[in-house]
Amino acid sequence: MLVGVLLGKALPTFIDTVRGWEFGGGSQISVPIAVLIWLMIVPMMMRVDFAAIREVGRRPRGLFVTLFVNWLVKPFSMALIGWLFFRVIFGAWISTADADQYIAGTIILAAAPCTAMVSSGAT
């Protein structure tokens, strides 16, 4: 992070150029960030036992629990938590448009379990 801050201070025009690199015009999907996230995920993928994936069909309970929690429980619970914090608790200090964006961010974060695994180093 320190290198990024120093680069931003020393070469602001270069950083503006890099910030403009997107997958398709107006997609707002940053190529550098996508590459860096991929580089964070690759080491975990190297430890996956791909031979064991064939066994999932024989014992699918874990897969079903994971899908249920990740796609039905977490997004809706985070929507509730986001609404509580950004509309009720901090609503006086945050505009409605910003609150909507923050709530959308909490829902997206809840639907992205890899974010927690990458940041915590879970295997």
Side-chain angles (χ1 to χ4, degrees):
M1 288 192 314
L2 180 63
V3 171
V5 170
L6 292 175
L7 274 174
K9 294 292 185 183
L11 304 168
T13 55
F14 173 72
I15 298 304
D16 287 338
T17 301
V18 171
R19 187 178 294 137
W21 295 346
E22 295 180 353
F23 288 106
S27 69
Q28 296 184 352
I29 300 172
S30 170
V31 171
I33 290 177
V35 169
L36 293 172
I37 288 174
W38 182 252
L39 289 175
M40 286 191 317
I41 293 171
V42 166
M44 286 187 302
M45 293 299 292
M46 294 297 115
R47 294 189 299 207
V48 171
D49 181 9
F50 290 104
I53 292 176
R54 289 186 222 143
E55 301 296 319
V56 171
R58 293 188 185 122
R59 295 179 304 185
R61 190 175 105 201
L63 178 64
F64 291 142
V65 168
T66 300
L67 290 173
F68 176 76
V69 170
N70 286 343
W71 293 102
L72 293 175
V73 174
K74 286 174 34 179
F76 293 106
S77 62
M78 286 302 282
L80 177 65
I81 291 169
W83 174 82
L84 178 68
F85 275 89
F86 300 119
R87 287 290 173 90
V88 177
I89 297 173
F90 298 113
W93 299 286
I94 301 172
S95 71
T96 303
D98 286 341
D100 289 344
Q101 293 296 313
Y102 288 136
I103 292 168
T106 60
I107 295 168
I108 291 169
L109 186 60
C114 67
T115 306
M117 290 188 302
V118 170
S119 62
S120 69
T123 55

